[in-house]
Amino acid sequence: MYSTLLKHIELFLYENPTLQDGLDWICNEIQQNLPNYDWVGFYFHHPKKKELHLKAFAGKPTDHTVIPFGKGICGQVAVSNQNFVVDDVSQQDNYISCSMDVKSEIVIPLFVETRNVGQIDVDSNTPSAFNQKDVDFLEAVNALVSTFLLRTNAQF
Ligand code: SME
C-alpha cells in the first residue's frame, strides 16, 4: 500500500497541480487509504514569524491552524528538525490536543535542500499506530513534496 501510494503521489505531482491542490490531494489520498491515519495535515513555517501555519489537511477541522515554534509536538519539531513519533499523547506534557479521540501522532519535518520549511502531521485514534514503516513512508512523501517545491518554485 505504501509504495502504491507513493507512486500515485509522484504521478499526481508530475501533472503540475498548484501547491494547494497537490497538498490537498495528498492529504486526502493518504487519509482515505491508510486505516490508522485519521487526520493528515501539512503545516508550513511562516516566512517571518516563528509560527507554523496549517496549509492543507484531511479529517476533522482543527482550531490549531497557527502553532508557535516550541509549542506542542508540531512546534517542537519546528525547532528540533527531528522526526517525532508519539505512541501515547496523554504522556506528553508539551502537547496540543486537537480532539479527545486522538491517541497517537507522528510529525516528520519537510526539508527543501537543508532548510526545514514545514512538516507533515498525522493523528491516529488508535494508540501506538505508527512505526518505522510510517516514518519511512512519510519521509518519502515529504521528499516528493520537496522535489515538487524546487521544480515548480512554488511559494508558500
Ligand atoms: N497535536 C499537535 C497539534 C496539531 S493537531 O494534531 C492537528 C501538537 O501537539 O502539536
Side-chain angles (χ1 to χ4, degrees):
M1 193 62 210
Y2 290 107
S3 58
T4 309
L5 277 172
L6 285 173
K7 189 43 84 182
H8 286 172
I9 291 167
E10 187 174 18
L11 290 172
F12 187 81
L13 292 179
Y14 264 97
E15 289 169 19
N16 288 327
T18 63
L19 176 60
Q20 188 67 58
D21 286 349
L23 296 177
D24 287 342
W25 189 88
I26 291 169
C27 289
N28 281 307
E29 185 74 1
I30 295 175
Q31 195 250 2
Q32 284 171 22
N33 286 290
L34 294 174
N36 290 331
Y37 285 45
D38 293 298
W39 190 93
V40 179
F42 283 97
Y43 286 92
F44 280 78
H45 296 192
H46 188 277
K48 296 207 174 75
K49 301 180 198 166
K50 292 199 176 303
E51 288 174 350
L52 291 159
H53 287 246
L54 185 63
K55 175 92 174 155
F57 71 95
K60 283 195 210 153
T62 174
D63 290 339
H64 302 289
T65 56
V66 179
I67 299 176
F69 280 21
K71 301 275 187 214
I73 308 302
C74 296
Q76 291 177 75
V77 169
V79 175
S80 73
N81 306 320
Q82 305 284 323
N83 298 336
F84 202 153
V85 180
V86 180
D87 287 338
D88 178 357
V89 297
S90 73
Q91 298 300 309
Q92 294 291 320
D93 292 334
N94 189 358
Y95 170 72
I96 300 166
S97 175
C98 287
S99 154
M100 291 309 288
D101 297 332
V102 175
K103 300 289 188 289
S104 59
E105 177 163 8
I106 182 170
V107 180
I108 305 289
L110 169 59
F111 294 98
V112 172
E113 293 171 329
T114 56
R115 194 161 59 100
N116 180 356
V117 301
Q119 53 193 235
I120 189 165
D121 175 20
V122 185
D123 287 343
S124 181
N125 300 343
T126 303
S128 303
F130 307 111
N131 58 36
Q132 188 60 40
K133 283 191 182 149
D134 300 285
V135 171
D136 294 345
F137 170 66
L138 293 170
E139 283 183 352
V141 171
N142 277 356
L144 291 172
V145 172
S146 179
T147 301
F148 174 81
L149 289 170
L150 280 169
R151 182 166 56 78
T152 62
N153 201 21
Q155 300 305 304
F156 49 84

